[in-house]
Amino acid sequence: MLSRMVAELGPWSWWLLGLLLLGAELLLPGVFLVWIGIGALATGVISLLLWESAAWGWQIQVLVFAGLAVVATLLGRRYLSKSDLVTDEPLLNQRGASLVGRTATLQDPIAEGHGRIRLDDTYWPVLGPDISAGTKVRIVSWNGRDLIVEAA
């Protein structure tokens, strides 16, 4: 049935596949089927030009489609991966990094390099030299989990 439909539609079968893939992209999350759909549409354009050629068999069409889909995917990833966006909140989702430079009072003393401070409504684990509780400290960096502090 599928081969009969492809034979009847001719080069338009690639266009149909491309449009189905682009439509599926609307239903599925992510941006992946777009590039495969573009590969199918490009194969459809080539098929319109070469459909009567004896060398343009289904095997060649599938190879051209696969190659164009890979090229479209690679170009699309390169285009979308450009992250030169300028934002007024570069540390928006990096709360620990946004705390660097602030001062706080030690809630628990730093003993053997580990302690705890309270900033706003959150307790943060800190690393630094041994310092007694109640001492003012300055946050100098963040390692992804702990804030690194020094005496202020």
Side-chain angles (χ1 to χ4, degrees):
M1 172 172 160
L2 187 61
S3 62
R4 186 173 139 232
M5 185 176 76
V6 170
E8 287 178 9
L9 287 174
W12 298 104
S13 60
W14 288 108
W15 286 81
L16 180 63
L17 176 64
L19 292 175
L20 285 173
L21 287 168
L22 292 176
E25 181 64 44
L26 295 174
L27 301 174
L28 301 172
V31 183
F32 186 71
L33 293 177
V34 168
W35 313 119
I36 299 172
I38 289 173
L41 292 175
T43 305
V45 169
I46 296 170
S47 290
L48 285 174
L49 301 173
L50 301 176
W51 191 257
E52 299 298 323
S53 173
W56 191 245
W58 69 269
Q59 299 91 341
I60 300 297
Q61 291 178 40
V62 169
L63 288 175
V64 167
F65 164 65
L68 289 173
V70 167
V71 168
T73 302
L74 293 174
L75 290 174
R77 286 181 56 129
R78 176 178 287 178
Y79 174 73
L80 290 179
S81 70
K82 292 182 179 178
S83 61
D84 51 347
L85 298 173
V86 178
T87 177
D88 60 340
E89 293 288 337
L91 302 175
L92 180 64
N93 292 321
Q94 300 176 19
R95 188 166 179 212
S98 68
L99 299 174
V100 173
R102 288 187 59 183
T103 58
T105 304
L106 276 175
Q107 185 74 24
D108 296 339
I110 300 177
E112 298 179 10
H114 297 279
R116 190 168 71 151
I117 62 172
R118 180 181 173 127
L119 282 172
D120 302 326
D121 61 348
T122 306
Y123 289 98
W124 289 85
V126 295
L127 302 175
D130 291 352
I131 304 173
S132 61
T135 306
K136 288 268 190 199
V137 292
R138 176 178 294 109
I139 302 166
V140 293
S141 66
W142 177 57
N143 67 6
R145 181 184 179 279
D146 301 312
L147 298 171
I148 291 83
V149 298
E150 64 183 17

